[in-house]
Amino acid sequence: MSTTAKHQQGTPIALLDSLEKIQQKFEQKKARQAQQLLEQGYTPELVRELEAEAKPRDPGKKVSPHKLGRGATSARLIEQAQLQLFEGEQRGDFKQFNIEPNSEYPSLLARVPVFAPGQRSKMAARLDKDLAMHFETGWGKGRKFGPPLTIYDEDTLLAILGLRQRQLVGVGSKMPMPVMHPGNPAEETNVQVVFTTIGEIQEFLGLTKGGSGHNRRLASVKRLAGVVIEFTRASDPAMNSVIKGGSFSTKIIDLVTQDLEKESCLYIQLPPVMVKWLSHSYTYIEMDVRRHLTDHGKAIHKFLASQRNFNVTIEKLKEITGSLLPKREFVRVTRQTMKTLQSIGWCEYSIDGNGRSKPLVLKGSRLPRRGASQAASRDLAK
DNA sequence: ATGCACACGACCTAGTTATG
DNA sequence: CATAACTAGGTCGTGTGCAT
């Protein structure tokens, strides 16, 4: 983006062409998004509101010359990476256009315990003989390879998703991080890219940039990049065209950045399957709501957010969230979470049953978003 | 040389989870 | 159920590359 502005005076027509393309894709994507939201039960009014909120990030901020301090390192690296993209585009490796992230999160990931609440060290107990974590819920079945992931890592992912900037379209092998089209290697594919810094991720999550949080967050990004998810079953219409022989696997993010210790700039690429999910099969996770919750709360909220009305046994909810708590404790945190969610106007609910003859069942429905955001901002204000 | 703006380690606290 | 053990996340001070 910044590169666009910078190169506009005195530069190739091709660039101006691509700007036009960017604009067109913008509008298409917007329309599609609006449609999705309507289908998910948002009112037209709220859809407009969400659109208004989804402003592109301020492009000039990072690289305006007079603001360069020590952060110049990051800013410069980001600029370089962006320049590379333009060169790639000029060479015809791929086409690119800007995107407006809007808190989308893959629905399938919200319904499967890939990110679990609790301590990472306790999660090794779940590994099978291939050192993979098996999962199975009503929505999907498969395994996760790589380091255990917690809700903390999910926050990292949400921030990365919220900060993504561009979509690249082209042959997989020519992308900054070469990928394979999940169905047909010869076909054009889509990836999305993010240039960011650890500080920016922290800021997105409402945290300060200082402290040991910095190192932990970087470690978290690395973990995300080290994970591969394999699905052997997935009830997800968006994946029908991709799944061959019933199974597929994907990384969550690719880390293009080489020298993480020396350079604080992260250059991240989202693989084709993620892009597919994010544009065709996503759940809207409001960070304002999420910020009020504990880790278990976040896990529960993410699942409930993927459904308009919910009706699920506490037992199933525990499986879906991947909680390691004893059932008794899980019930307690669920009650606590639901109380919070209701108090900020996100949903109404009831928990029926006695846990013995009749299982505990959580029922309820999301409330219109307006209430939630108002309550949330009210809470934040005080 | 100086100050800016960020990077990052040391240390502290509050809140969460594990344990006896 | 009480309490120990952890963890997230904060503050503060120092380090450092860059623009001025």
Side-chain angles (χ1 to χ4, degrees), chain A residues 212-227:
Chain A
S212 49
H214 185 275
N215 281 340
R216 274 188 290 123
R217 191 63 67 185
L218 176 60
S220 175
V221 174
K222 289 182 187 172
R223 279 195 294 276
L224 285 177
V227 166

Side-chain angles (χ1 to χ4, degrees), chain A residues 238-298:
Chain A
M239 298 311 293
N240 285 344
S241 62
V242 167
I243 301 176
K244 289 198 169 174
S247 72
F248 66 97
S249 64
T250 183
K251 293 188 75 175
I252 298 177
I253 64 169
D254 271 308
L255 205 44
V256 183
T257 314
Q258 301 291 324
D259 197 346
L260 282 172
E261 310 307 329
K262 247 171 64 186
E263 297 165 357
S264 59
C265 170
L266 299 173
Y267 180 12
I268 295 163
Q269 179 177 305
L270 302 176
V273 171
M274 283 289 284
V275 174
K276 191 122 191 154
W277 280 334
L278 290 170
S279 44
H280 293 102
S281 179
Y282 59 82
T283 287
Y284 196 86
I285 294 188
E286 294 140 297
M287 294 305 281
D288 275 354
V289 175
R290 190 173 163 98
R291 266 192 272 277
H292 291 267
L293 303 169
T294 65
D295 279 3
H296 271 85
K298 288 174 181 177

Side-chain angles (χ1 to χ4, degrees), chain A residues 10 26 28 33 58 93 133 151 231 245 279 316 319 326 373:
Chain A
F26 242 5
Q28 288 172 14
Q33 241 179 4
D58 177 5
D93 288 352
M133 193 204 79
I151 295 298
F231 281 94
S279 44
K316 274 215 178 108
E319 275 170 34
S373 67

